[in-house]
Amino acid sequence: MEKIIDENKQGNTLVLDAKEDNSKKLYIESYGCAMNFSDSEIVASILADQGYNTTNLLEEADLVLVNTCSIRDKAEQTVRKRLEKYNAVKRINPKMKVGVLGCMAERLKEKFLEEEKIVDLVVGPDAYKEIPNLLKEVEEGRDAVNVILSKEETYGDISPVRLGGNGITAYVSITRGCDNMCTFCVVPFTRGRERSRDPQSILNEINDLAEKGYKEITLLGQNVDSYLWYGGGLKKDFKSASEMQQATATDFAQLLDMAATAHPKMRIRFSTSNPQDMHEEVLHIVAKHDNICNHIHLPVQSGSTRILKEMNRQHTREEYMKLIDRIWEIIPDCSISQDMIIGFPTETEEDHQETLSLMEYVKYGFGYMYKYSERPGTMAARKLEDDVSEETKSRRLTEIVDQQQKHSAIRTAEFLGKTVTVLIEKESKKNKDEWSGRTEHNNVAVFPKKNYNPGDFVKVKITNCTTATLIGEAVGHS
Ligand code: SAM
């Protein structure tokens, strides 16, 4: 989702309008990627039909759910600390039930019930529809686990309740799982094989959001470019689908085209892309529609072809650079952002310099940069020693972050003197007299409120900026 890990959102408690007839209280906390936040909205929707309203008071909850992330060890440690906190509350309120959802549930399975005695419920990412049955098991005094990964489940038939949102921007999930098998990544093990959601249910969800007044959607998946609907089933089974199914399949470019055509007033983003699956047709669709944002989040992970090969990324440094050139030929003002992993096993000083020089070539608008974290069960953990010292990882990370800061400042300053369209999302955190919103290039912009309102598309003349924020003056509705 964004990419998808928004540090400001980590640990957010989600609260939505209460249903009058519901008397039980659900406290749901989410960590990790946008997909997890989107999944929590699906879980809350399922539980709203079971008599639960959300609360942000842990102490009054009947059911506490934590939607977890396994992507790095640090993410798991954070959740473990939260489980200790829930445990403390549970000692005061023994009737409270605690459940672990998401990637950690999938990775650790029953271990949670055996080792972390405070957990009553363990539910993997494909088993959320089973939560009502699992709760019955718990009420009857049994521990409840369902971590079965599915070939079909996309939750296309569940209308997510939008939790703690701004009523303006929303995520719409289009694929689940991932087939890429990058050697560092735990996602294929925790979220299963890749499958796509029926385009009609995606379009219905966008229609519904438009009717409710939403102005921007982000099409969400671990690897959106790989979207392929041929009537249901796993992406890997497409080859054995019937001729008719293959001939009438919908790919990501077609889905994007359909969504943008059906809703010319809705701003559309997508995340995350993977360079090996990005087809040129998608770039032409982005160029064709004014309402699709000229921004692509294109994780590269390393600038060294040797490391990319060790990571099982299916492209070289040169192929990635060619893709970047092609993006700018087709969408000249496209902003590009990155994910980078620092200190992958065997990474040398020379590999690190190649990452820095690739960054110099692209000058990304922004990026998410992480030290390599070995994940149990992945190919890298099995085959490669985590041999870059913590000290070297930290030093290289600092160099990469400093370089990104420099490039973000350059990219942000390119908008000085220009007029950009901003979708107002909320009041600026720093100044209550200013609105804050984002441009299509995904820059945050702030400006005096005047008579504008959240949800308005406003033309803003940019007069100043910091490294990451545009500062300006509204000059009219867009
Ligand atoms: N579709 C994206 C791609 O192209 O790789 C994957 C999104 S992934 C769920 C989010 C990001 O987490 C990755 O892009 C990567 O930078 C980071 N990540 C994944 N596994 C990691 C690990 N073992 N250590 C450090 N960072 C990791």
Side-chain angles (χ1 to χ4, degrees):
M1 136 171 293
E2 170 158 14
K3 154 113 176 335
I4 319 201
I5 296 189
D6 180 344
E7 296 300 341
N8 291 328
K9 277 188 160 180
Q10 297 304 301
N12 258 13
T13 320
L14 301 164
V15 182
L16 68 154
D17 294 342
K19 272 191 181 174
E20 236 176 67
D21 297 341
N22 286 357
S23 56
K24 289 181 274 189
K25 292 216 159 52
L26 163 70
Y27 176 96
I28 182 163
E29 203 170 87
S30 308
Y31 293 86
C33 65
M35 191 66 98
N36 263 5
F37 285 81
S38 171
D39 279 358
S40 291
E41 296 181 336
I42 287 166
V43 171
S45 170
I46 292 168
L47 286 171
D49 293 338
Q50 302 291 319
Y52 285 89
N53 282 329
T54 48
T55 173
N56 57 3
L57 292 175
L58 184 54
E59 289 71 14
E60 69 171 24
D62 300 293
L63 175 62
V64 174
L65 296 177
V66 57
N67 202 342
T68 60
C69 171
S70 285
I71 202 89
R72 283 171 292 278
D73 185 54
K74 197 173 151 221
E76 292 201 352
Q77 295 314 323
T78 308
V79 167
R80 288 196 178 279
K81 285 213 187 80
R82 291 304 290 158
L83 286 171
E84 281 168 22
K85 168 78 184 164
Y86 308 152
N87 196 11
V89 177
K90 202 176 170 174
R91 266 182 245 124
I92 305 162
N93 175 12
K95 275 196 280 176
M96 182 178 110
K97 302 292 175 222
V98 176
V100 179
L101 314 178
C103 290
M104 264 176 98
E106 194 62 49
R107 200 176 83 69
L108 296 166
K109 303 186 169 64
E110 288 83 359
K111 271 194 201 157
F112 259 125
L113 295 166
E114 288 150 18
E115 290 167 18
E116 327 272 334
K117 298 284 183 224
I118 60 152
V119 174
D120 304 288
L121 194 71
V122 179
V123 194
D126 286 343
Y128 297 145
K129 281 187 195 153
E130 274 304 303
I131 291 178
N133 290 333
L134 292 168
L135 282 171
K136 278 193 203 116
E137 296 276 309
V138 172
E139 269 157 33
E140 285 160 20
R142 287 187 290 272
D143 290 337
V145 186
N146 190 330
V147 285
I148 297 168
L149 288 171
S150 156
K151 287 185 179 178
E152 305 283 339
E153 187 59 85
T154 60
Y155 300 110
D157 53 337
I158 292 193
S159 174
V161 285
R162 304 290 161 178
L163 293 170
N166 52 13
I168 298 164
T169 60
Y171 292 123
V172 175
S173 156
I174 64 165
T175 67
R176 295 187 75 83
C178 188
D179 282 353
N180 280 349
M181 294 311 247
C182 300
T183 57
F184 53 80
C185 192
V186 78
V187 167
F189 307 102
T190 59
R191 289 191 161 267
R193 302 303 298 252
E194 193 176 305
R195 64 224 103 112
S196 297
R197 177 176 168 193
D198 183 344
Q200 201 48 56
S201 84
I202 296 172
L203 292 174
N204 290 346
E205 188 173 331
I206 302 173
N207 282 343
D208 184 50
L209 287 165
E211 274 168 23
K212 290 184 173 133
Y214 281 79
K215 301 292 171 60
E216 179 185 296
I217 53 149
T218 302
L219 302 177
L220 202 60
Q222 298 296 338
N223 181 8
V224 285
D225 302 274
S226 179
Y227 176 87
L228 189 65
W229 172 259
Y230 61 97
L234 297 178
K235 166 93 182 251
K236 75 175 177 61
D237 296 334
F238 178 64
K239 292 183 288 301
S240 41
S242 70
E243 264 178 45
M244 178 65 108
Q245 281 176 315
Q246 296 199 10
T248 54
T250 306
D251 67 14
F252 183 55
Q254 291 164 323
L255 176 73
L256 201 54
D257 197 23
M258 287 193 288
T261 307
H263 292 282
K265 293 222 162 82
M266 182 73 91
R267 211 191 226 192
I268 300 180
R269 299 183 188 276
F270 52 90
S271 191
T272 303
S273 293
N274 188 309
Q276 74 199 48
D277 296 303
M278 175 156 254
H279 308 293
E280 207 168 291
E281 191 49 28
V282 170
L283 303 178
H284 289 291
I285 300 296
V286 175
K288 174 176 146 190
H289 292 279
D290 283 345
N291 58 328
I292 305 179
C293 291
N294 289 356
H295 165 237
I296 297 176
H297 185 68
L298 199 62
V300 63
Q301 318 296 4
S302 169
S304 152
T305 297
R306 191 185 68 79
I307 294 290
L308 289 171
K309 196 153 187 272
E310 293 287 2
M311 290 175 162
N312 194 32
R313 306 288 285 185
Q314 302 293 315
H315 60 83
T316 61
R317 165 192 175 88
E318 288 72 26
E319 284 163 344
Y320 182 87
M321 286 156 100
K322 262 197 208 138
L323 177 60
I324 298 284
D325 293 345
R326 208 56 199 124
I327 293 174
W328 284 330
E329 275 161 31
I330 298 169
I331 317 161
D333 71 335
C334 194
S335 74
I336 298 173
S337 50
Q338 49 89 355
D339 285 357
M340 209 67 90
I341 296 179
I342 285 82
F344 185 79
T346 77
E347 186 190 74
T348 61
E349 216 45 46
E350 201 183 335
D351 296 317
H352 172 59
Q353 288 305 323
E354 290 209 85
T355 297
L356 287 166
S357 76
L358 179 79
M359 291 174 76
E360 192 60 45
Y361 182 79
V362 185
K363 293 197 178 59
Y364 295 99
F366 62 92
Y368 300 92
M369 296 144 285
Y370 312 100
K371 284 189 218 170
Y372 171 68
S373 166
E374 187 177 87
R375 306 314 294 131
T378 58
M379 196 52 93
R382 282 190 274 153
K383 295 268 155 81
L384 298 168
E385 191 192 335
D386 186 5
D387 60 355
V388 180
S389 72
E390 193 51 35
E391 195 190 346
T392 304
K393 280 184 190 167
S394 296
R395 195 249 308 148
R396 288 182 189 162
L397 178 64
T398 305
E399 287 174 16
I400 300 270
V401 169
D402 287 351
Q403 169 108 321
Q404 183 54 58
Q405 291 272 90
K406 206 175 76 190
H407 293 157
S408 296
I410 293 171
R411 290 299 187 193
T412 309
E414 285 174 352
F415 293 99
L416 281 175
K418 293 191 178 155
T419 299
V420 295
T421 300
V422 178
L423 171 60
I424 302 178
E425 288 178 24
K426 57 187 176 200
E427 195 168 86
S428 156
K429 266 191 204 144
K430 291 200 178 139
N431 184 343
K432 66 175 180 39
D433 298 323
E434 289 185 344
W435 290 128
S436 168
R438 277 179 305 153
T439 68
E440 69 162 317
H441 299 100
N442 214 22
N443 288 96
V444 171
V446 293
F447 55 92
K449 284 181 174 173
K450 292 191 182 159
N451 293 326
Y452 300 101
N453 293 302
D456 287 352
F457 284 103
V458 177
K459 283 191 187 140
V460 178
K461 175 135 172 92
I462 303 304
T463 51
N464 200 353
C465 66
T466 65
T467 311
T469 306
L470 298 168
I471 300 161
E473 197 66 47
V475 292
H477 276 106
S478 172

